[in-house]
Amino acid sequence: MAITVCPVTPSFAAEIGDVDLSLPLKPSDLADIKDAFAAYAVLIFPDQQLSQDQHLDFARHFGPLETTIALHRKDARLRVRKEFADVSNLDHNNEVWGKESRQRMFQLGNRLWHTDSSFKRLPALASLLYARSIPPIGGHTEFADERAAYDALPEAMKRRVESLVAEHSIFNSRAKLGFTNFSDEERAGMPPVPQVLVRTIPESGRKSLYLASHAGRIFGMSEQDGRALIDELVAHATQRQFVYTHRWRVHDLVIWDNRCTMHRGTDFDDLRWKRDMQRATVCDVANSCEQAGIRIEAA
Ligand code: OGA
Ligand code: MN
């Protein structure tokens, strides 16, 4: 039996049924999943029982995996394998983190619209987030379709943004939250990187905006003009008609295409409820400027 693709929205999110991701995948099922991924950009696999290894094995079908940036943090104590971004609100004893925990401050960045790892020279192609436990209310994840957002831009704006390049840094998004006490070592570990503002997704041929709260200045523009343009584009790209809100069920696995979506987590009482989620993250094939044939001098 082949997989079942059940659209949740007409062209952005779909649920995938009749597949057990804990087992080796049939090549035809994998091909169908990749086709659906190219068409939709967000796929939901409900009711999957996955060990850490099975989660990572499925992710590897999409490319090589990242390791967590928590390794750059001076205070990191990992609860899960180093290939995962631990998106939970739990400490290394599986207890809800404290109000003042540094991990908490760091993860608050997930509440801002972003795409994963655009602050790395080699950004993320796909993310696969798995829910082991969820809060009874809140803690949803919103996704914005940046292909649809690009298509809806006025022609003059399409021409304006066509070959622009922005500088992305994780310290831009953290600074927006007032979180600035990073050591020189932490800063040196994650220097700013260039990324295009518009990219073409090879599998679908569709053009997409490529934005994130990590984006700061735009090359060739003043600091203020660049930031204003990015704010304007993010406001455009996150309008209701481009957004799908995922309300988690335990054992959902959700995969999204970081090249053409933004996402953010919604509020929940993180000092009260356990939200245990891990993300496996697949690397892109090259920096977005390199893929577009644009050469940028080191900033
Ligand atoms: C992520 C992320 C948001 C959330 O895992 O990359 O941004 O809702 N998560 O947990
Ligand atoms: Mn994220």
Side-chain angles (χ1 to χ4, degrees):
M1 187 158 143
I3 65 162
T4 300
V5 178
C6 181
V8 178
T9 78
S11 55
F12 185 36
E15 289 186 335
I16 308 295
D18 294 305
V19 63
D20 181 348
L21 301 181
S22 71
L23 303 174
L25 272 183
K26 281 193 291 182
S28 59
D29 282 354
L30 180 61
D32 290 348
I33 289 169
K34 288 192 172 178
D35 285 349
F37 190 51
Y40 287 92
V42 178
L43 299 180
I44 301 133
F45 297 83
D47 202 19
Q48 298 291 331
Q49 311 290 327
L50 300 177
S51 66
Q52 290 189 40
D53 283 331
Q54 289 162 340
H55 181 178
L56 294 173
D57 284 345
F58 177 57
R60 283 192 191 94
H61 287 298
F62 296 86
L65 302 187
E66 287 188 353
T67 52
T68 176
I69 58 166
L71 294 173
H72 291 291
R73 280 196 347 240
K74 57 187 181 206
D75 50 358
R77 290 177 73 174
L78 302 186
R79 222 169 47 89
V80 291
R81 282 190 215 299
K82 66 179 184 343
E83 288 85 357
F84 286 112
D86 186 7
V87 189
S88 75
N89 60 335
L90 306 177
D91 65 19
H92 56 275
N93 294 320
N94 288 319
E95 296 299 334
V96 169
W97 56 24
K99 192 170 189 323
E100 304 302 330
S101 106
R102 208 158 181 272
Q103 188 193 348
R104 180 175 192 238
M105 285 303 302
F106 212 86
Q107 275 195 35
L108 269 181
N110 285 347
R111 302 275 176 93
L112 304 178
W113 284 109
H114 67 284
T115 188
D116 290 331
S117 301
S118 70
F119 54 82
K120 294 182 180 174
R121 189 161 188 97
L122 187 60
L125 190 156
S127 292
L128 300 93
L129 187 57
Y130 182 57
R132 294 188 184 280
S133 66
I134 56 170
I137 56 170
H140 313 308
T141 307
E142 298 183 318
F143 295 93
D145 186 347
E146 295 200 77
R147 305 163 307 178
Y150 175 83
D151 291 344
L153 285 176
E155 289 306 316
M157 184 59 101
K158 285 184 182 166
R159 281 194 298 276
R160 185 168 168 215
V161 295
E162 180 63 47
S163 47
L164 293 179
V165 174
E167 188 176 78
H168 290 234
S169 163
I170 192 163
F171 303 109
N172 285 335
S173 48
R174 274 36 182 186
K176 288 178 185 158
L177 298 163
F179 186 27
T180 52
N181 68 329
F182 295 100
S183 66
D184 291 347
E185 222 177 319
E186 285 176 312
R187 288 186 187 275
M190 291 186 277
V193 300
Q195 305 289 359
V196 292
L197 229 51
V198 176
R199 52 193 307 183
T200 303
I201 310 305
E203 294 82 6
S204 63
R206 290 189 67 180
K207 281 194 173 179
S208 178
L209 286 168
Y210 189 54
L211 299 164
S213 57
H214 311 307
R217 67 194 176 104
I218 294 179
F219 289 89
M221 291 176 73
S222 73
E223 180 92 21
Q224 302 92 306
D225 289 353
R227 287 183 186 262
L229 178 57
I230 286 170
D231 288 350
E232 183 183 341
L233 291 169
V234 170
H236 165 78
T238 56
Q239 294 174 86
R240 215 56 239 173
Q241 66 268 32
F242 306 129
V243 173
Y244 160 69
T245 300
H246 187 65
R247 292 164 180 272
W248 290 92
R249 295 155 297 194
V250 172
H251 298 150
D252 277 349
L253 178 92
V254 176
I255 175 171
W256 63 86
D257 189 336
N258 282 299
R259 301 169 301 179
C260 58
T261 62
M262 275 193 289
H263 61 279
R264 66 174 180 185
T266 74
D267 192 27
F268 74 105
D269 191 345
D270 65 312
L271 299 176
R272 181 175 178 199
W273 307 113
K274 291 188 176 181
R275 186 176 189 259
D276 189 3
M277 317 256 266
Q278 282 90 46
R279 190 187 83 214
T281 316
V282 177
C283 301
D284 206 341
V285 295
N287 173 271
S288 62
C289 297
E290 287 161 17
Q291 289 189 53
I294 300 173
R295 288 194 54 184
I296 299 289
E297 306 307 318

